[in-house]
């Protein structure tokens, strides 16, 4: 059974720092992996989608990588800002249209 | 504006009183799905639909029903809600398996 783990569970950094969030999954048979951001009490905002055949995707200050063979993805945030404070979730899409989410990393960027 | 909408956004109800949470998308997406989010358990998939009249169970389908009679709508039905169904519910949609999922704003349900 596919399991998705995100480490660390929480992270506090000073403004301007570059940081990496980790997502690992136990079964490499995935269709894609998607990173989301969730603000408190709000819905999920899609950040990046990486197909299983891709190695990375970039959007602005965000870069997501995927190493399917090792079951790992990282989300790199450059020059963090207080507005980046949120919970970051990764989700893998597996066979049968199922989606498995990690528990998330709660990020706090201090001004 | 392309979006996924859910109604109601907030609902307090009593045990056993049937309820429906509606979900609608205006992007002509084939795939729709329902999730629940609980503290410490994260987001878990309840049901999903690959197209009209095609639905399948996710990881936590017990106590829920769904139907997909129209492409744009995917209602979640709780025939006899219980307190353990108190949760934050999200609907999502996408063009298909290889496309990103778009989420609705969520419905906070409390069952007393």
């Amino acid at each position: 059974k596919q399991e998705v783990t995100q480490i660390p569970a929480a992270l506090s950094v000073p403004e301007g720092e570059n940081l990496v969030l980790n997502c690992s999954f136990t079964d490499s048979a995935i269709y894609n992996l998607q990173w989301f951001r969730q603000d408190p009490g709000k819905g999920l905002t899609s950040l990046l989608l990486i197909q299983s055949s891709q190695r990375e995707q970039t959007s602005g200050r965000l870069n997501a990588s995927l190493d399917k063979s090792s079951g790992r993805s990282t989300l790199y945030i450059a020059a963090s800002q207080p507005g980046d404070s949120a919970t970051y979730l990764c989700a893998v899409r597996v066979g049968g249209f199922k989606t498995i989410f990690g528990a998330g990393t709660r990020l706090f960027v201090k001004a | 504006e392309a979006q996924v909408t859910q109604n109601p956004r907030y609902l307090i109800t009593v045990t056993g009183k049937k309820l429906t949470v509606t979900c609608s998308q205006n992007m002509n997406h084939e795939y729709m799905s329902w999730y629940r989010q609980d503290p410490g358990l994260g987001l878990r998939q309840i049901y999903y639909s690959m197209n009209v009249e095609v639905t399948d169970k996710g990881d936590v389908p017990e106590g829920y029903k769904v139907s997909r009679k129209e492409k744009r709508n995917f209602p979640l039905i709780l025939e006899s809600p219980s307190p353990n169904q108190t949760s934050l519910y999200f609907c999502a949609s996408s063009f298909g398996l290889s496309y990103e999922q778009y989420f609705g704003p969520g419905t906070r349900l409390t069952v007393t």
Side-chain angles (χ1 to χ4, degrees):
Chain A
K1 181 183 174 183
Q2 178 74 265
E3 293 182 0
V4 181
T5 304
Q6 290 188 246
I7 294 173
L11 182 62
S12 181
V13 300
E15 182 177 7
E17 190 162 301
N18 301 325
L19 58 100
V20 174
L21 307 181
N22 297 292
C23 172
S24 61
F25 45 95
T26 54
D27 187 343
S28 62
I30 66 171
Y31 283 95
N32 53 52
L33 185 147
Q34 191 169 358
W35 283 93
F36 295 88
R37 153 186 189 138
Q38 185 176 27
D39 293 287
K42 300 290 181 62
L44 279 69
T45 300
S46 177
L47 298 174
L48 289 164
L49 173 72
I50 312 178
Q51 302 295 345
S52 63
S53 58
Q54 297 176 319
R55 297 286 292 181
E56 65 178 293
Q57 284 285 339
T58 298
S59 176
R61 293 183 295 110
L62 305 179
N63 176 278
S65 69
L66 175 65
D67 184 343
K68 210 173 68 163
S69 62
S70 67
R72 293 184 60 190
S73 176
T74 61
L75 179 66
Y76 175 83
I77 302 177
S80 58
Q81 304 170 357
D84 294 330
S85 297
T87 296
Y88 291 80
L89 299 160
C90 69
V92 297
R93 215 130 186 217
V94 299
F97 283 84
K98 289 191 174 182
T99 302
I100 312 296
F101 275 84
T105 293
R106 187 176 298 179
L107 173 65
F108 179 64
V109 181
K110 298 172 286 188
Chain B
E1 179 190 356
Q3 59 183 347
V4 179
T5 57
Q6 296 179 227
N7 282 292
R9 294 289 313 282
Y10 303 90
L11 179 60
I12 300 174
T13 190
V14 296
T15 299
K17 186 177 181 181
K18 181 179 178 179
L19 66 92
T20 299
V21 183
T22 65
C23 173
S24 183
Q25 50 91 8
N26 62 0
M27 297 170 278
N28 200 35
H29 284 172
E30 303 280 333
Y31 170 89
M32 298 184 75
S33 185
W34 277 103
Y35 300 86
R36 61 178 289 176
Q37 186 174 34
D38 302 287
L41 296 174
L43 274 146
R44 294 175 293 167
Q45 194 171 31
I46 304 171
Y47 269 96
Y48 55 90
S49 169
M50 295 75 83
N51 212 328
V52 174
E53 303 291 2
V54 183
T55 64
D56 206 349
K57 298 176 182 178
D59 288 329
V60 288
E62 297 77 20
Y64 304 95
K65 283 179 58 177
V66 292
S67 68
R68 186 95 179 270
K69 293 182 169 39
E70 302 171 282
K71 196 173 187 179
R72 62 182 295 131
N73 296 324
F74 190 43
L76 179 69
I77 303 159
L78 285 72
E79 296 263 355
S80 183
S82 62
N84 65 13
Q85 292 179 299
T86 292
S87 187
L88 180 58
Y89 291 86
F90 289 102
C91 179
S93 72
S94 72
F95 275 115
L97 197 59
S98 299
Y99 296 85
E100 62 185 320
Q101 291 190 69
Y102 294 89
F103 278 71
T107 294
R108 188 166 293 280
L109 172 65
T110 302
V111 184
T112 61

